[in-house]
Structure formats: structure tokens, C-alpha cells
Amino acid sequence: APMSTPAMKTEVRDAMAVWALSMTLAVSTNVDADQLQSIRDKGAIKVAVYDHFSPFSDSGAGIDVDIARALADKLGLDLVVTSFDAGDDMGDDLRNMVWNGHYLRGAPADFMIHVPVDKALQRQNADVEIFSAYHNEQIAVIRNLERIPVFAGLDAFTRSRIGVEIGTLADEYMLGALGGRFRNGVAHFRTIAESVDALRRGEVDAVLGSRSQIEAAMSGSS
């Protein structure tokens, strides 16, 4: 069934943050005072960002890349951006990109951008410091108004097919919420953009995920 694109955009703009699922994001670093001087001596700062993560970082461009550039400019240094695909969990990403390095990527970056501010994550990764939150992420839903004319909470998903990006918070929630009640209606996609494309084609009834990424996909910037 066709969907109303302006109405869908309104749903996102009105910030339908679902069930108070939110995530604050930060920068992660293993840099102390001596290492900072070493970075200055090199004349360049190396920053790790996720790839295929519009609007934050994709193909060397995006919000996080702009932040990295502003950091480099503030320090009076050149910027080296290293993009990488997300690993199985955040601990893997921090190990490979921040404090240990990777056999294919070489030495770790000086900083990594877009790390959740989470006390448990910090305790599990004592070799990094997570600090300087700069963004508060919301989980939002965008829907086909003909198939789900009214969204009044979780019950709207009991008879619907919901698109999610695999391996994300939204994915885990939909698979596990209320004892797996919605599991059979979950459709997995590689990215939020692919989920939104499926919604446009009528293959799913709604998409649940990062509001920022949904807005980027809706605007065509993904």
C-alpha cells in the first residue's frame, strides 16, 4: 500500500521516542598527557569513525567527521580519518580501533567517535576513557499510515511487520520484548536506509531505529 511521505516525515520530526529508549554518545580515547604531546609532535591526529553510518559518518563524510575535523583544527593538527565497519560488539571496536590496534589496520587511532556513555561499558574496557558526550540519540518509529493509522504503543506491532537494522538496540528490543511477542514480525536489514526503502516498497509496515538515521534515510542523504 502507498504511504504518505509528508506524514511520515512529521512522525519523525515529532520525535516519537519509543518507550524512553535513548542512548547518549561520546568520544573514546586512550590518550594521556604524554601521548597528547606525541600526537602534537607527529603533527596529525588519527580519528576512528564508523563507516556506512549516515548521517554521522559514511565514505569519509558526515557529522562525526566534521567533529573530528573541528578537533584537529582546534589542536592545530592535520586530520587522519580511519573508517571501519562495526564489529560484533563495542568491546571489539574499542580494542581494534582505540587501545590495541588490528592486524589489518595497524596502530590504533588516537580517538574514536560515537561510543555510548555507559558505566558498564567503561568498566569492561579499562584501557579506554569514555568522555565528552555530544549527542543524545532517540529510538523512533516511522510507519505506513494506511496499515498502522494510529500508533498507541507496542500493541500496534502485534499484527505488523517491522523493519530493523540487524544487531542494533531496536533489533534486540523487538526480538526480546514481552517474551518475544513481536519476534515473528521482525524483518532484518543491513542498514536503516534499506529498512526505509522496504517501507517505501510496502514490504514492511514500520521501521524502528535511530531517529537520526531514519531522518537521514527519509531525506535521501543515506
Side-chain angles (χ1 to χ4, degrees):
M3 64 186 180
S4 172
T5 300
M8 289 177 64
K9 289 182 178 179
T10 299
E11 291 297 334
V12 177
R13 187 174 62 248
D14 289 346
M16 292 186 63
V18 182
W19 317 303
L21 291 176
S22 62
M23 184 169 59
T24 304
L25 305 171
V27 181
S28 177
T29 181
N30 64 347
V31 179
D32 59 23
D34 291 338
Q35 289 169 310
L36 183 57
Q37 184 57 51
S38 177
I39 293 170
R40 291 183 182 279
D41 292 342
K42 290 188 298 184
I45 186 169
K46 183 179 180 181
V47 179
V49 298
Y50 286 104
D51 205 1
H52 311 299
F53 190 42
S54 178
F56 296 101
S57 46
D58 188 19
S59 302
I63 296 169
D64 287 347
V65 178
D66 291 342
I67 292 173
R69 185 171 294 108
L71 175 62
D73 289 346
K74 182 71 174 180
L75 295 173
L77 301 170
D78 293 333
L79 174 65
V80 177
V81 174
T82 178
S83 301
F84 69 101
D85 292 324
D88 292 335
D89 60 48
M90 181 60 66
D92 290 343
D93 295 341
L94 292 173
R95 181 182 67 254
N96 292 332
M97 304 309 300
V98 180
W99 64 267
N100 187 56
H102 190 275
Y103 72 96
L104 291 178
R105 296 183 177 276
D110 301 310
F111 288 84
M112 175 177 159
I113 296 183
H114 223 101
V115 177
V117 174
D118 181 81
K119 291 182 179 178
L121 181 66
Q122 179 67 86
R123 287 195 301 269
Q124 294 163 7
N125 295 273
D127 292 290
V128 302
E129 180 184 355
I130 300 172
F131 70 102
S132 297
Y134 68 97
H135 175 65
N136 186 52
E137 188 60 275
Q138 294 174 320
I139 304 299
V141 62
I142 188 169
R143 70 186 195 272
N144 183 318
L145 296 180
E146 292 188 4
R147 297 183 183 179
I148 308 177
V150 177
F151 181 79
L154 287 172
D155 284 344
F157 291 156
T158 56
R159 297 170 298 278
S160 303
R161 189 159 175 79
I162 311 302
V164 297
E165 180 180 353
I166 192 167
T168 60
L169 181 62
D171 178 18
E172 293 181 8
Y173 192 87
M174 291 306 296
L175 292 178
L178 300 181
R181 181 178 179 184
F182 311 103
R183 183 175 300 160
N184 292 337
V186 174
H188 289 106
F189 297 89
R190 189 177 62 87
T191 65
I192 285 290
E194 291 180 3
S195 302
V196 172
D197 287 342
L199 181 61
R200 289 191 172 103
R201 295 191 299 267
E203 296 172 3
V204 296
D205 304 319
V207 171
L208 182 71
S210 157
R211 177 182 175 183
S212 301
Q213 291 178 276
I214 287 175
E215 288 182 334
M218 286 299 299
S219 70
S221 64
S222 60

